[in-house]
Amino acid sequence: ILMVDEKGKNMKCLTFFLMLPETVKNRSKKSSKKGSSSSSSSSKLPPVCYEIITLKTKKKKKMAADIFPRKKPANTNTTAVQQYHQQNLNNNNTIPAPNWQGLYPTIRERNAMMFNNDLMADVHFVVGPPGGTQRLPGHKYVLAVGSSVFHAMFYGELAEDKDEIRIPDVEPAAFLAMLKYIYCDEIDLAADTVLATLYAAKKYIVPHLARACVNFLETSLSAKNACVLLSQSCLFEEPDLTQRCWEVIDAQAELALKSEGFCDIDFQTLESILRRETLNAKEIVVFEAALNWAEVECQRQELMATIENKRKVLGKALYLIRIPTMALDDFANGAAQSGILTLNETNDIFLWYTAAKKPELQFVSKPRKGLVPQRCHRFQSCAYRSNQWRYRGRCDSIQFAVDKRVFIAGFGLYGSSCGSAEYSAKIELKRQGVILGQNLSKYFSDGSSNTFPVWFEYPVQIEPDTFYTASVILDGNELSYFGQEGMTEVQCGKVTVQFQCSSDSTNGTGVQGGQIPELIFYA
């Protein structure tokens, strides 16, 4: 039975009957008796009889991947598979194993074996800047299927028949990451090459890889790299990534401005940051960051890092720093003595601070609005008793999770229930036992049931759908207010916060009652 056709649910089978030699002789004799007119050639060839049988089946067509799920090849082929994987990684020209196609059941796996492989390669790329190039093999058909740019390059109306193509503006590691996606349908990204990979994906119009790069950058976004990513997101025209960068820069402005990455941004990005109305930072920090950027920019332009050259590279961006809004001490001990301002500018700013009739300034004199912190209150009421709430070096703790990225700036805490009192508070924020932020400070309570804010030095970035532990150890008046009727879930603006008890809590705080009534955050 030979399968010769397959259409829908019907499969046609042909049954062949081959005549044996004795049968052929008998047939030949019978044919000669009937008449001599029969062709001699007909007696030499046995007639073939067949019948068509139609089989009905309800089974759907299956692809090779469905029939052969991905698994390790049999032990007999393991050596050959490993050999081919090594060839794939090293891009060498070893002799392929016989019938290597049979080692892989699916077209995807067989196609993946051609990644970075000279076997059957019909084009080569010389990738990277001069002095750092790498020669990589390619297969025009596979590349054209994965990218419209490659299709136009190899099969378009203006296609050029070149055996070697030079690509000096793409890093070899990034080009390999893009090829791996095209050949293997695998996305392999790393923090140090993801920007270069995004550039390659944009250049060759591989949109799904580009989207994966953006998602990777958003999840790894922090104050340390936010300024650099802001610059790149504008270059790549990725508005969602740009918005995420601004959220981090606004909330953690001082950390972002003090990061090494801030000095690597271009002049246009520098101006946009200095103009930012919602920048949550002291103006002296903004001023110092601008001077650090100017020093590095002098090096990029091969200039001596003198005061004159720093001012030259800053240009009009210097006047975007709101120097008149600094605290007087910050100006007198910092900006006024930096040498970056002219004598007339220094005198006019001093007069701005002290004189009734203020001079006109080129600098922006209106303070930045910054960010308004939000407060998530988890108790519906509070109370006090003669034997609660006591503090003897024990820890009050609660766990929480959010559904959107936020930045915890501090906690709201209860104070004394026996008149005004001062407390010393050590606050901590942890994730899986790792301390993300802590601070030791004091606050004064006036004897009311209000909450009193205690701040971290810098806001702490909180990722969604992960539980964090908020803790405080108080030292002060033994009796204070405490929360009651706690809620396991609180909606605060567009952010949903969930609470659960913490094993770190040794002073009685939990979901239903206790301390840490408020989370103070930026969103």
Side-chain angles (χ1 to χ4, degrees), residues 370-435:
L371 294 177
V372 179
Q374 300 183 45
R375 293 174 180 250
C376 175
H377 198 90
R378 66 188 189 94
F379 294 124
Q380 300 182 64
S381 65
C382 67
Y384 69 91
R385 299 193 186 107
S386 59
N387 59 345
Q388 291 181 334
W389 199 266
R390 295 181 180 274
Y391 308 103
R392 295 176 181 175
R394 290 176 295 202
C395 179
D396 289 289
S397 182
I398 191 71
Q399 287 192 331
F400 70 94
V402 294
D403 64 343
K404 293 181 176 62
R405 174 184 286 164
V406 299
F407 302 86
I408 297 293
F411 305 146
L413 303 176
Y414 287 122
S416 172
S417 59
C418 302
S420 59
E422 186 178 62
Y423 286 88
S424 175
K426 179 184 178 182
I427 59 173
E428 280 186 352
L429 192 57
K430 296 187 293 186
R431 177 182 178 181
Q432 297 178 348
V434 178
I435 297 177

Side-chain angles (χ1 to χ4, degrees), residues 242-256:
T242 300
Q243 179 59 30
R244 299 291 184 276
C245 290
W246 278 126
E247 290 174 1
V248 174
I249 293 171
D250 282 343
Q252 296 181 302
E254 294 193 1
L255 285 176

